[in-house]
Amino acid sequence: MTVSSAPGKVYLFGEHAVVYGEPAVPCAVERRATVTVSARDDDHVRVRAEDLSLNGFTVEYRGSTGDRPDVDVPAPLVEAAMGYIDAAVDQARAAADAPDAGFDITVESDIPLGAGLGSSAAVVVAGIDAATRELGVELEPRELAERAYQAEHEVQDGQASRADTFCSAMGGAVRVEGDDCRTIDAPPLPFVIGFDGGAGDTGALVSGVRALREEYDFAADTVSTVGDIVRRGEELLAEADPDADDPPEELLSELGRFMDFNHGLLEALGVSSRSLDSMVWAAREAGAYGAKLTGAGGGGCIVSLDPTPETQTALRFTPGCEDAFRAELATEGVRVEVPPDADADAEGEGERERDSDDGNGTETGADSS
Ligand code: PMV
């Protein structure tokens, strides 16, 4: 048995625009998905997911998820969750060169699903890490991030950027611009998150922005203005002292302003919602330095900056807000919680160092299922 966990994230700046090559700055937060994987003697995959929905679910299948079993939860939720898990299994099989490996998988997550906090990326990153370790292969975080990206890319029909998966694998604050992914320094920002209890449809929202951008110059300009805001925000982070326990008010206030601008532009691109807007305004009125939606939008979460308890309290009383919580910057990305046990190691092929090719699992993954 091997257990790995990986953090969710908030976008300080840059979601949607990152899909068109602008930079984005996601920050990992201390809400984690934990995946437990045990190798099986056959090629079956059995998945138990807790906390992903109110009910959780268990499914067992052979080979790929094509033969979907009957389960007592809404089909779209199973489709979505199983799609990511199936893609993670394919990547792990390809990385370990073990196309017939079977697994018992348990997924637990305290990251709301599809709500802009990178739940799927965290499940995929932790799942690939645990499954490859279980097969005796230890991937470097960057290769893991690449494989997790390939998995998300496949499930999301090519509409994923590298931002979520890279951030979840590496932890801390990161900067993603196209294929260029790097970690950056950031002080411990006082994130307060508001969650409306819902979720957005990332694929549909990304397609909506794409269509708008193709039809209207203003939308293309808006996307590049988001890029300008991200670059300004990055400069602020670069000048800040990453070791300061309490980031100075001036920094928070400037970052907050840019978050507000970023939210306004996302709203212009049509990806906000009534509940996201009312949480954003509640946070601002409570004295937050800034607030914006995080992730694809349409519903889900907002992120605000406030070191005081005021924003969290105000959000709790805001109609449309189901939960409000503080989220620390997660300095650690993926981590192994329980390493593979000694017997499994002895039975397996032993630990092999991976050569770091570009991790193009789409090709190898196709062979494996
Ligand atoms: O809602 P999330 O956490 O899946 O974030 C989506 C972010 C987008 O920029 C809209 C898409 C992407 O893959 O970067």
Side-chain angles (χ1 to χ4, degrees):
M1 182 189 85
T2 307
V3 185
S4 297
S5 76
K9 60 97 208 13
V10 292
Y11 274 92
L12 189 57
F13 307 111
E15 55 274 88
H16 284 288
V18 69
V19 175
Y20 309 99
E22 299 293 347
V25 177
C27 298
V29 292
E30 267 314 337
R31 286 240 154 182
R32 304 183 80 90
T34 302
V35 181
T36 302
V37 176
S38 300
R40 291 173 61 112
D41 295 338
D42 56 25
D43 64 353
H44 290 216
V45 175
R46 182 171 192 277
V47 181
R48 196 158 68 91
E50 288 172 8
D51 310 332
L52 290 187
S53 70
L54 292 179
N55 303 323
F57 60 84
T58 302
V59 291
E60 180 170 344
Y61 58 95
R62 196 159 177 254
S64 90
T65 44
D67 325 324
R68 179 90 61 234
D70 279 349
V71 285
D72 186 21
V73 287
L77 178 65
V78 178
E79 294 289 336
M82 290 308 299
Y84 289 108
I85 292 167
D86 198 33
V89 164
D90 280 350
Q91 287 294 332
R93 284 171 169 162
D97 198 15
D100 299 322
F103 304 101
D104 286 329
I105 301 175
T106 302
V107 182
E108 292 156 281
S109 173
D110 55 10
I111 309 166
L113 255 196
L117 297 186
S119 55
S120 54
V123 167
V124 169
V125 166
I128 297 175
D129 189 64
T132 46
R133 284 176 189 274
E134 184 69 4
L135 296 173
V137 172
E138 202 173 311
L139 301 179
E140 292 299 323
R142 279 183 180 269
E143 190 187 352
L144 185 61
E146 178 61 30
R147 288 202 171 270
Y149 164 67
Q150 296 295 344
E152 279 221 327
H153 191 262
E154 186 191 318
V155 180
Q156 292 173 201
D157 294 329
Q159 307 242 44
S161 73
R162 290 182 148 78
D164 285 27
T165 37
F166 184 72
C167 186
S168 185
M170 307 303 287
V174 307
R175 175 195 202 273
V176 173
E177 184 172 7
D179 296 348
D180 178 17
C181 303
R182 44 186 88 179
T183 55
I184 57 174
D185 283 336
L189 296 170
F191 294 126
V192 179
I193 292 171
F195 174 40
D196 70 3
D201 178 339
T202 302
L205 290 152
V206 171
S207 302
V209 172
R210 188 183 301 281
L212 212 59
R213 193 171 161 270
E214 278 161 15
E215 189 170 355
Y216 299 106
D217 289 347
F218 98 83
D221 294 346
T222 302
V223 166
S224 62
T225 307
V226 171
D228 294 341
I229 287 173
V230 180
R231 283 181 276 270
R232 295 288 298 271
E234 276 182 80
E235 283 167 23
L236 294 171
L237 288 178
E239 287 158 14
D241 173 5
D243 301 321
D245 284 344
D246 292 314
E249 185 168 349
E250 201 187 326
L251 170 70
L252 295 178
S253 136
E254 286 189 85
L255 284 174
R257 264 188 103 197
F258 287 122
M259 288 169 76
D260 287 344
F261 293 151
N262 196 162
H263 181 78
L265 296 171
L266 288 165
E267 205 195 342
L269 292 171
V271 297
S272 193
S273 70
R274 181 187 285 259
S275 56
L276 293 174
D277 284 344
S278 58
M279 291 190 289
V280 159
W281 277 106
R284 290 174 184 162
E285 284 171 5
Y289 287 105
K292 62 182 279 297
L293 68 82
T294 171
C301 292
I302 64 130
V303 56
S304 58
L305 289 184
D306 186 359
T308 78
E310 301 296 327
T311 296
Q312 194 177 346
T313 308
L315 284 171
R316 289 209 165 123
F317 289 100
T318 302
C321 176
E322 195 175 287
D323 195 9
F325 49 90
R326 193 165 274 294
E328 304 284 322
L329 185 72
T331 47
E332 237 184 323
V334 65
R335 69 173 177 236
V336 57
E337 303 286 351
V338 180
D341 45 45
D343 321 351
D345 248 8
E347 277 167 27
E349 297 170 27
E351 197 143 301
R352 273 172 287 154
E353 284 301 319
R354 291 284 308 147
D355 57 341
S356 284
D357 63 3
D358 73 355
N360 184 344
T362 320
E363 273 172 48
T364 39
D367 294 333
S368 74
S369 56

